[in-house]
Structure formats: structure tokens, C-alpha cells
């Protein structure tokens, strides 16, 4: 089975710096990691390949420093890694990001399965995976915690807050991984050596991808970030007066009902 895994390099911190003028993320000077859910996506892809054969291709869209994440994916065991990078892609929102990644997946071609993480810890929208599936016109199963390869179809367990769903999907499909799916492996020393001593990362630019220039970058992004800020948290307390416990409890119930808490 040929699998393409989409990974995002993200800042290794919850303190994401934001350019207050443009509303975009500032990556410079912030240590970076592979987005945690994406490491589970890589692991799931490697396990399926190790079991049934095929190839794992890992792709990332980002600035040149995202090569680092791809080298790590290679060291974990990916067969091929691609960086999708171009000045024209800068400032892309989730729509433009998914447009570019879907074009890259089509360019690479021959895939049975696409993996994404559920959500990136910086952008946090969880939109890119489902949008890629829409652009590729393939079925999607999100929040995967177990995957079985049954030849021309996949059986995926999808975890939600209340219940788990067992979903059968034909291939090709897109699956988004969550951290309950598996425990990502450590890179092997031989592969680390290879990843850092040979040029394993292949590059795709706007010239390689048939993307409409009006659909990419800041100009092609329908989302506008007007301002970014850390919300202030306020706590208010109130003493409920009453003759006894029963009266106080009744007043409390009335107040909770009034604000639709119960
Ligand atoms: C108007 C606007 C401008 C923006 N400009 C910038 C900017 O200049 N610089 C910047 O860093 N961010 C920018 N962003 C944020 C950027 O759009 C998002 O980081 C990006 O689209 C991914 O969304 P997300 O982080 O919410 O990913 P999610 O949707 O939460 O990610 C889900 C999964 O999709 C996959 N995925 C997501 N992004 C990538 C990627 N790049 N490559 C491969 N796979 C991926 C991964 O598997 C990931 O786990 C901008 C956003 C907006 C709205």
C-alpha cells in the first residue's frame, strides 16, 4: 500500500509568537518539532507498510527549515520525503494550504491512503486534513485510533467523546490520526546518519504544482486574521445568602437555570 503522510513543523511551545501587524505566526528563533499528532500518523503509515509492503512518502509544506522535520521522518523509516516550499505559498490559510498539499499529493500520485494529524498545535484548526480529502475527492475518517488494512478497503475505529465508531472505507481515503493511535518509534541510528549526511529531502515548488495562483498564499486565503491576542480569563465569585442550606441551594439552582447551566 502506498501511503502519503502530511506533517507540519510547529513551534515547540504553546507560547506561539504572533506578528501583531499581519496576524501571522513568527517562526524565527522558536525551536521546532514535528506536530505531535503527525508523529502518530507517520508511525501508523510505517506499521501498515511493514505489515503489508508498499511505500511511505512524507510531505510537508513550509519554509526551508521544515526540512528538519522531514529528515526526522526519514530517520523514523519513511521511504521518501518532500518539502513543498515557495515564497508564493507564504501566508496561506487552511484553504490555501490544503489546495497546495492536495496538488502535491496528486503530483506524487499512486496513493492508496493519505494520513494527516488531527490538529496542529499552533494553528489548531483541524481543518487541513478534511479539506485535503475534499480537494482530492476521496472519503475521510477523522480521529482514528485503530486501522486495519483489508485489501481494497480499510476498517477504521474513530474515537469521539461519547462512543467509538467502526467505519469501513474504500481506498484511497484520508485518515486523521490522534495520539491514542500508537506510540511513535524512535529513529534508528543508521537512518539518522543517512538523513543528515545525504540530501534525502526532495523539493516541490509552485513551478512543479498545477495550482491556480489566485488560490494560494495570503492573496488566495479567504480567512483574514484581523487581530490575534491571548484571551483574558476572569473569575467572579458570589456568596449566596439564605436562611438555611435548603434556601441557599434553591437560590443556587435558580441562578444556574437562569444562565442555562442546568
Ligand atoms: C490569513 C492567514 C494567514 C496565515 N499566515 C500564516 C503564515 O504566514 N505563517 C504560518 O506559519 N501560518 C500562517 N497561518 C496559519 C496557517 O494557515 C495554518 O498554520 C495552516 O493553514 C495549517 O492550519 P492549522 O495549523 O490549523 O492545521 P490543522 O488543520 O490543525 O492541521 C491538521 C493536519 O493537517 C496537516 N497539515 C497542516 N499544515 C500542514 C503543512 N503546512 N504541511 C503538511 N501538512 C500539514 C498535518 O497533518 C496536521 O496535523 C495563517 C492563517 C491565516 C488564517
Amino acid at each position: 500500500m502506498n501511503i502519503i503522510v502530511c506533517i507540519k513543523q510547529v513551534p515547540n511551545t504553546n507560547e506561539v509568537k504572533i506578528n501583531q501587524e499581519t496576524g501571522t505566526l513568527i517562526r524565527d528563533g522558536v525551536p521546532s518539532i514535528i506536530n505531535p499528532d503527525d508523529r502518530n500518523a507517520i508511525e501508523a503509515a510505517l506499521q501498515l507498510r511493514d505489515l503489508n509492503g508498499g511505500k511511505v512518502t512524507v510531505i510537508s509544506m513550509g519554509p526551508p527549515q521544515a526540512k528538519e522535520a522531514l529528515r526526522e521522518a526519514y530517520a523514523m523509516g519513511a521511504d521518501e520525503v518532500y518539502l513543498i516550499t515557495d515564497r508564493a505559498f507564504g501566508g496561506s490559510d487552511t484553504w490555501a494550504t490544503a489546495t497546495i498539499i492536495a496538488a502535491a499529493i496528486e503530483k506524487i500520485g499512486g496513493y492508496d491512503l493519505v494520513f494527516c494529524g488531527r490538529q496542529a498545535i499552533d494553528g489548531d484548526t483541524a481543518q487541513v486534513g478534511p479539506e485535503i480529502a475534499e480537494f482530492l475527492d476521496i472519503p475521510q475518517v477523522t480521529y482514528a485510533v485503530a486501522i486495519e488494512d483489508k485489501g481494497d478497503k480499510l476498517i477504521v475505529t474513530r474515537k469521539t467523546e461519547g462512543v467509538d465508531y467502526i467505519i469501513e472505507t474504500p481506498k484511497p481515503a484520508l485518515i486523521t490520526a490522534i495520539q491514542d493511535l500508537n506510540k511513535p518509534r524512535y529513529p534508528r541510528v543508521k537512518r539518522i546518519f543517512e538523513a543528515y549526511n545525504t540530501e534525502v529531502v526532495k523539493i516541490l515548488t509552485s513551478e512543479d504544482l498545477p495550482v491556480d495562483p489566485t488560490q494560494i498564499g495570503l492573496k488566495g486565503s479567504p480567512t483574514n486574521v484581523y487581530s490575534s491576542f491571548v484571551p483574558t480569563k476572569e473569575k467572579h465569585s458570589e456568596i449566596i445568602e439564605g436562611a438555611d442550606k435548603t434556601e441557599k441551594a434553591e437560590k443556587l439552582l435558580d441562578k444556574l437555570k437562569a444562565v442555562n447551566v442546568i
Side-chain angles (χ1 to χ4, degrees):
M1 179 157 57
N2 290 333
I3 307 172
I4 298 181
V5 187
C6 307
I7 67 167
K8 185 181 183 191
Q9 191 186 46
V10 293
N12 187 11
T13 172
N14 288 327
E15 301 290 320
V16 177
K17 294 179 189 168
I18 294 167
N19 180 327
Q20 296 297 341
E21 276 174 27
T22 60
T24 56
L25 305 181
I26 303 168
R27 286 197 174 97
D28 295 347
V30 183
S32 299
I33 55 169
I34 296 177
N35 180 54
D37 286 342
D38 304 356
R39 290 171 62 83
N40 298 92
I42 297 171
E43 177 60 35
L46 295 175
Q47 284 181 13
L48 286 168
R49 179 205 61 189
D50 293 348
L51 207 61
N52 304 319
K55 189 164 103 174
V56 173
T57 304
V58 176
I59 64 173
S60 185
M61 183 186 118
Q65 73 174 63
K67 269 186 176 182
E68 201 59 22
L70 289 163
R71 285 201 186 97
E72 192 180 337
Y74 186 88
M76 284 174 76
D79 298 286
E80 273 192 310
V81 294
Y82 285 87
L83 176 66
I84 308 157
T85 191
D86 200 300
R87 280 193 172 276
F89 300 157
S92 293
D93 69 358
T94 63
W95 171 276
T97 300
T99 300
I100 297 160
I101 294 174
I105 291 170
E106 271 174 345
K107 170 89 185 177
I108 294 164
Y111 59 91
D112 304 294
L113 176 58
V114 178
F115 266 113
C116 283
R118 169 195 49 181
Q119 192 162 348
I121 58 169
D122 56 349
D124 242 1
T125 65
Q127 291 174 1
V128 171
E131 284 174 344
I132 294 172
E134 286 299 314
F135 290 138
L136 294 174
D137 199 19
I138 58 174
Q140 57 177 288
V141 185
T142 52
Y143 303 91
V145 287
I147 301 156
E148 257 184 281
D149 183 10
K150 296 275 187 190
D152 57 353
K153 60 188 182 196
L154 296 157
I155 310 289
V156 185
T157 308
R158 177 177 194 266
K159 189 181 175 78
T160 67
E161 245 174 61
V163 293
D164 288 359
Y165 295 85
I166 295 174
I167 296 172
E168 184 182 297
T169 174
K171 295 175 187 169
L174 182 142
I175 293 176
T176 75
I178 62 173
Q179 288 178 44
D180 292 352
L181 178 58
N182 52 41
K183 190 167 180 290
R185 68 192 65 185
Y186 290 107
R188 293 195 1 233
V189 175
K190 187 169 167 275
R191 299 281 300 193
I192 295 174
F193 192 78
E194 202 183 328
Y196 286 87
N197 288 291
T198 49
E199 195 44 89
V200 294
V201 181
K202 296 175 185 169
I203 305 288
L204 290 174
T205 68
S206 62
E207 284 179 12
D208 302 306
L209 304 176
V211 280
D212 176 349
T214 65
Q215 298 295 302
I216 59 169
L218 207 52
K219 281 191 192 148
S221 296
T223 320
N224 285 311
V225 178
Y226 288 105
S227 73
S228 306
F229 56 91
V230 179
T232 51
K233 286 184 188 160
E234 289 180 15
K235 281 184 184 171
H236 299 285
S237 57
E238 185 185 337
I239 308 284
I240 297 174
E241 305 290 352
D244 52 25
K245 282 190 286 192
T246 312
E247 191 184 326
K248 287 179 191 171
E250 277 168 2
K251 281 187 180 171
L252 175 62
L253 281 177
D254 289 344
K255 281 179 183 290
L256 293 175
K257 279 180 192 158
V259 292
N260 296 321
V261 173
I262 55 172

